[in-house]
Amino acid sequence: MAFLEVKGIEKGFGTLKVLKKIDFSLEKGDVIAIIGPSGSGKTTLLRCLNFLERPDKGSIIVNNEVIFDAMDPATQRESEVRKKRLHFGLVFQNFNLFPQYTVLKNVTLAAELLAKERPNYIKDKKAILKEIQERGKTLLSQVGLSDKLDCYPHMISGGQQQRVAIARALALDPDILCFDEPTSALDPELTGEVLKVIRNLAERNTTMIIVTHEMDFARDVADRVIFMDDGVIVEQGSPNEVFGNPKEERTKQFLARYKKN
């Protein structure tokens, strides 16, 4: 059984059906790149996986555990959703850092808040917070920002802010790391530094789902590629299959437009 199974996910907003029976699976340590035109439902799919949106239909299974089933209210209780959301980390398009906190605080804040729920928090508070701080410093070092710990977001570049966002997403040790067009808000000269970090994560067998318009990057890094259009998965397969010999006409037309641009 696959590490992640997404079955029959549907999501609508009023009369607009954004996702229509989405099915795919992901093996542990693999990378899926999701490509497709704007408005095809890619971001909504990631938001459903992270429970920022609740699917109307379908189920999500991680490591043989049903973490969401639209037919089972027990999986939709807020207390359950809060815990199960931790299976996924999400890196947004526009960084979403807290401007009032330092780089290090942005990375450690969620872990510090969750630590308060530990039964031994009051007794071992100092040691727990020290451990979280060291973890944050290690992650920032991994993304090349060990010299920016005390900076505030406005003091660093967009590429550096996105690298902070990646470290923050990793801080809670998610099973699956999701990226929503992580370079779309960056100037071209800053795109490479973020893609390098993601490439390094792939080389360390981090399980990832990446929504991207960087086709060359998707071809190089992904184990599988999903092409979405109009709320459905039109085609999926290996990078060689989807990019080299697409079967569906919509895929061919999309890739032809990309090459032309």
Side-chain angles (χ1 to χ4, degrees), residues 25-241:
S25 61
L26 174 64
E27 300 294 337
K28 189 172 181 60
D30 279 358
V31 178
I32 282 181
I34 302 179
I35 63 173
S38 297
S40 58
K42 306 184 299 295
T43 293
T44 300
L45 175 57
L46 289 190
R47 290 178 65 85
C48 285
L49 292 178
N50 285 271
F51 301 107
L52 297 175
E53 303 287 353
R54 300 285 181 93
D56 300 323
K57 295 181 180 180
S59 60
I60 301 169
I61 303 167
V62 177
N63 199 20
N64 296 328
E65 177 188 5
V66 178
I67 66 171
F68 178 84
D69 186 340
M71 301 296 291
D72 183 1
T75 67
Q76 301 173 49
R77 290 194 295 264
E78 187 58 36
S79 59
E80 288 297 308
V81 169
R82 280 188 63 217
K83 289 187 291 185
K84 292 173 180 179
R85 185 178 286 140
L86 299 177
H87 286 289
F88 296 88
L90 178 59
V91 179
F92 299 89
Q93 295 181 32
N94 295 313
F95 325 139
N96 286 7
L97 301 180
F98 293 106
Q100 71 271 34
Y101 295 137
T102 65
V103 162
L104 180 58
K105 186 69 172 180
N106 265 281
V107 173
T108 61
L109 180 61
E112 290 171 357
L113 293 174
L114 284 173
K116 294 179 180 180
E117 300 178 7
R118 297 188 197 179
N120 63 331
Y121 179 73
I122 294 176
K123 177 186 175 187
D124 299 328
K125 178 179 177 180
K126 188 173 180 180
I128 290 171
L129 292 180
K130 182 179 179 181
E131 178 186 344
I132 292 170
Q133 289 278 309
E134 291 305 313
R135 167 72 170 159
K137 291 176 182 178
T138 297
L139 288 170
L140 286 166
S141 176
Q142 288 177 4
V143 299
L145 293 174
S146 56
D147 60 336
K148 304 294 184 183
L149 303 182
D150 298 321
C151 292
Y152 289 86
H154 75 274
M155 300 167 64
I156 59 178
S157 72
Q160 290 170 332
Q161 289 185 56
Q162 191 62 298
R163 285 188 276 156
V164 174
I166 293 171
R168 178 181 61 184
L170 289 167
L172 297 178
D173 293 317
D175 293 313
I176 301 161
L177 186 58
C178 301
F179 293 86
D180 185 11
E181 297 186 17
T183 61
S184 64
L186 300 177
D187 294 330
E189 63 268 21
L190 299 177
T191 295
E193 65 185 61
V194 173
L195 295 182
K196 180 180 178 182
V197 170
I198 300 173
R199 192 184 299 275
N200 288 340
L201 290 171
E203 290 172 353
R204 295 204 295 269
N205 295 320
T206 305
T207 310
M208 294 188 284
I209 301 172
I210 307 171
V211 169
T212 183
H213 286 302
E214 301 285 343
M215 300 301 154
D216 293 336
F217 178 74
R219 184 197 296 269
D220 291 342
V221 171
D223 297 286
R224 286 177 50 234
V225 176
I226 288 174
F227 172 65
M228 288 184 66
D229 190 17
D230 193 29
V232 300
I233 292 177
V234 176
E235 185 165 356
Q236 57 181 310
S238 72
N240 285 339
E241 290 170 335

